[in-house]
Amino acid sequence: MTLPGAPFLERRAGELRLEGHALASLARAFGTPLYVYSRGAMRAALAGYQHALAGRRHLLCYAMKANSSLAVLQTFAQAGCGFDIVSGGELERVLAAGGTAAKVVFSGVGKTRAEMQRALAAGVRCFNVESRGEIDRLDEVARALGRRAPVSLRINPDIDARTHPYISTGLKSNKFGIAHAEALAAYRHAASLAGLEVVGIDCHIGSQITRAEPYLDALDRLLDLVEAVEDAGVPIRHVDLGGGLGITYTDETPPAAGELVGRILERLDARGHGARELLLEPGRSLVGNAGVLLTEVQYLKHGDPAEVAAGDAKNFCIVDAAMNDLLRPALYEAWMRIEPCVRRDARAERWDVVGPVCESGDWLGRDRPLALAPGDVLAVLSAGAYGMAMASNYNSRARAAELMVEGDSVHLIRAREALSDLYAHERLIDG
Ligand code: LLP
C-alpha cells in the first residue's frame, strides 16, 4: 500500500518503507531524529514538470529554501535544474553542490550590497527585484563593478491564493514585490539605468496552493503588464510564475505538476505568448513528499482517563524530535501525518506527539490515534520540504542527520551535528 501523495513510500508487511528501505532499520542504524529522503521521489517529482515543459523554452529553478542540503541540490543540478535563491548563503551552496550560477535567479526583498556584488561576480542569470530602492541599489552596485545586472521585476499581482496567511505572498498587504499599478513606471525607470538590463518579469503568489486557477489569474495579470511594458519599448524575455504548488499532507488534492504546467502553457498560447521563455520556481512539490523525519518514542505520559475522555487532559507521547527539528507544526499549526514505522497489534489511543523542548508549542501532532510503546520509531511524513531547512539549535539540540536512499544505496548526506559544533564559534571572555 502506498501513502497518499507519496508514491515512493509504502507499507509492506506492516513495515513502512521509503524507496524499498525499511525506515525502522535505518533509524536503528543511524540514530534518531533522522531525516530520510528518496532520490527517486525527487527525480520523479521533477520529471513531472520537465515532461510537461519538453519542447518549450523554459528553465526550472528549484526553490532551494525548501531543502538546501548539498546532495539535494546536486540531485537537481545533475537533472538540469536551475535554482531560485534568496541569500548569499544559498548561492554558495549552489556552487558547492556543483550547480551553475548562470541558471540561478536571485529573489528576496532585502538583498544587501555584498550579496549583489557576489551574485554579479558569480554571474547569476537574473535578479528578481522587489522594490524601487532595490532597482537603484542594484544599478549602483553593477555600475561600480563595470557590469550590467540582468533584472526581472517581481510584481505583486494582488491575487488571493487562499493559503495560510504566513505563506501567502501575492496580496497587496504582503511585503513582497512591486505593486501592479506601479510596475510600468518601475520598468521604464529600470530600463533607463545604465547598470541594469531588463530581462524578465516574475511573481510568486504563495505556497501550498492546491488549485491551478490562482496561477492562471496571476499569469493573466503578468501578461497584461508584459504587453504594456513592451508597448513602451522595453522587451521582456521571460515570464517567471514563481513556485507554490501544494502537496498532499492529509486530504489535499493539488493538480499534478504536469496538469498545472499544461494549463499555464495553454494560457500562454491562447494569449499569443507561446514562444516566450517560461520560468518556474517549485520548492515544496519537488521535495516535500520525498522525505520523512524519523523519531523514537521516549516516554508515554497518560492523562487521567476520565479527564482525557472529557477533553480536559491529554495523553502525551514524548519523542526525541522537536520543534527545532521540524518547525512547521509549531509555526503554522501545520498538520503532518505521523505513522509508526512498524505497526503494533494493540488498541490505538489518542496522543499528542510532543518533543522535549521547553515550550508548549513544541508538538508534532495532536490527537493522533496510535498504538505505541516506548522505543517505537515514528515517521513524520511529507517532511522533505521546510523541515531540515528550518531546523535550529534551540535548547542546544544538535541538528539531525540526513540520509538519501537511492535504489539499493543509502547515502549519509549530512552527519549528525556534534554537540561541540554548537558552540565552536563562541568565545569566553578573558579574566
Ligand atoms: N519562489 C519564491 C520567491 C518563494 O518565496 C517561494 C517560497 C518559492 C518560490 C517556493 O515555493 P514552494 O514551491 O515551496 O511553495 N516555510 C513554509 C513555506 C514558505 C514558502 C516561502 N516561499 C512552509 O513550511 O509551509
Side-chain angles (χ1 to χ4, degrees):
M1 177 194 92
T2 60
L3 285 125
F8 285 72
L9 191 64
E10 61 171 348
R11 192 174 286 285
R12 212 189 303 152
E15 277 246 29
L16 199 60
R17 292 172 182 269
L18 185 62
E19 215 177 315
H21 295 265
L23 291 171
S25 313
L26 294 177
R28 304 279 176 241
F30 292 89
T32 48
L34 179 71
Y35 277 98
V36 187
Y37 312 118
S38 153
R39 209 170 191 199
M42 291 186 188
R43 289 188 173 130
L46 178 66
Y49 286 92
Q50 284 176 327
H51 288 151
L53 285 161
R56 293 283 190 144
R57 294 181 56 227
H58 74 274
L59 181 63
L60 284 167
C61 293
Y62 165 55
M64 61 180 281
K65 63 170 77 69
N67 186 327
S68 53
S69 299
L70 292 189
V72 173
L73 305 183
Q74 176 191 26
T75 301
F76 289 118
Q78 285 174 351
C81 248
F83 297 93
D84 168 50
I85 66 167
V86 290
S87 71
E90 288 195 342
L91 176 57
E92 297 311 321
R93 280 186 172 272
V94 169
L95 301 176
T100 154
K103 288 187 180 177
V104 165
V105 298
F106 192 171
S107 302
V109 289
K111 301 175 194 79
T112 64
R113 286 195 173 80
E115 286 176 322
M116 290 174 171
Q117 284 158 354
R118 174 71 181 120
L120 277 168
V124 298
R125 174 181 164 137
C126 142
F127 291 83
N128 289 348
V129 172
E130 303 222 11
S131 64
R132 287 289 280 244
E134 192 189 334
I135 292 177
D136 291 332
R137 177 184 280 187
L138 183 58
D139 169 59
E140 183 194 307
V141 169
R143 278 189 291 111
L145 293 172
R147 304 283 291 268
R148 286 187 84 193
V151 295
S152 159
L153 300 193
R154 173 166 175 180
I155 307 305
N156 187 330
D158 197 22
I159 296 282
D160 187 357
R162 285 198 261 139
T163 181
H164 189 287
Y166 280 18
I167 52 178
S168 172
T169 50
L171 283 169
K172 261 190 208 155
S173 52
N174 298 130
K175 70 178 175 182
F176 299 100
I178 295 170
H180 196 271
E182 290 159 29
L184 183 56
Y187 267 106
R188 283 208 169 97
H189 178 58
S192 75
L193 299 173
L196 302 186
E197 184 191 6
V198 171
V199 297
I201 190 165
D202 66 283
C203 71
H204 172 73
I205 52 176
S207 201
Q208 187 52 18
I209 299 170
T210 50
R211 298 173 310 134
E213 286 70 23
Y215 287 96
L216 301 175
D217 293 346
L219 178 60
D220 274 331
R221 303 272 286 162
L222 287 196
L223 292 179
D224 292 345
L225 262 178
V226 167
E227 289 163 9
V229 171
E230 293 201 323
D231 283 349
V234 182
I236 291 192
R237 282 185 239 146
H238 74 245
V239 173
D240 176 351
L241 266 185
L245 182 60
I247 61 172
T248 304
Y249 287 100
T250 164
D251 55 1
E252 304 91 335
T253 51
E259 184 193 333
L260 174 69
V261 170
R263 293 190 63 187
I264 292 170
L265 294 175
E266 256 173 44
R267 184 65 57 95
L268 278 169
D269 289 344
R271 293 200 45 171
H273 290 271
R276 209 173 281 281
E277 188 179 13
L278 177 66
L279 270 60
L280 294 173
E281 303 167 359
R284 186 191 317 264
S285 53
L286 294 185
V287 291
N289 273 335
V292 297
L293 172 63
L294 303 183
T295 181
E296 189 191 76
V297 175
Q298 303 297 306
Y299 302 101
L300 296 178
K301 215 172 140 179
H302 278 99
D304 174 80
E307 289 179 13
V308 171
D312 295 333
K314 295 254 185 188
N315 294 325
F316 291 104
C317 162
I318 300 167
V319 296
D320 66 357
M323 63 189 286
N324 76 294
D325 301 298
L326 182 63
L327 186 59
R328 302 191 70 256
L331 189 57
Y332 313 114
E333 301 200 353
W335 191 94
M336 301 178 74
R337 187 178 294 277
I338 300 177
E339 289 278 331
C341 287
V342 180
R343 266 213 193 115
R344 191 168 270 289
D345 211 4
R347 190 175 61 86
E349 294 175 276
R350 287 205 170 260
W351 299 99
D352 273 20
V353 179
V354 301
V357 161
C358 301
E359 301 250 3
S360 295
D362 180 28
W363 55 275
L364 299 175
R366 284 172 166 164
D367 291 322
R368 303 301 175 88
L370 293 163
L372 297 173
D376 284 0
V377 179
L378 302 180
V380 185
L381 307 194
S382 315
Y386 305 109
M388 190 63 182
M390 292 173 78
S392 77
N393 294 119
Y394 189 40
N395 277 205
S396 284
R397 289 169 51 82
R399 281 178 301 167
E402 293 179 296
L403 300 182
M404 180 82 86
V405 297
E406 176 183 23
D408 291 339
S409 312
V410 176
H411 309 284
L412 177 66
I413 62 166
R414 182 196 300 252
R416 189 174 302 286
E417 226 164 12
L419 292 175
S420 55
D421 292 341
L422 268 52
Y423 48 87
H425 296 289
E426 297 176 37
R427 298 287 176 269
L428 294 172
I429 297 165
D430 283 345

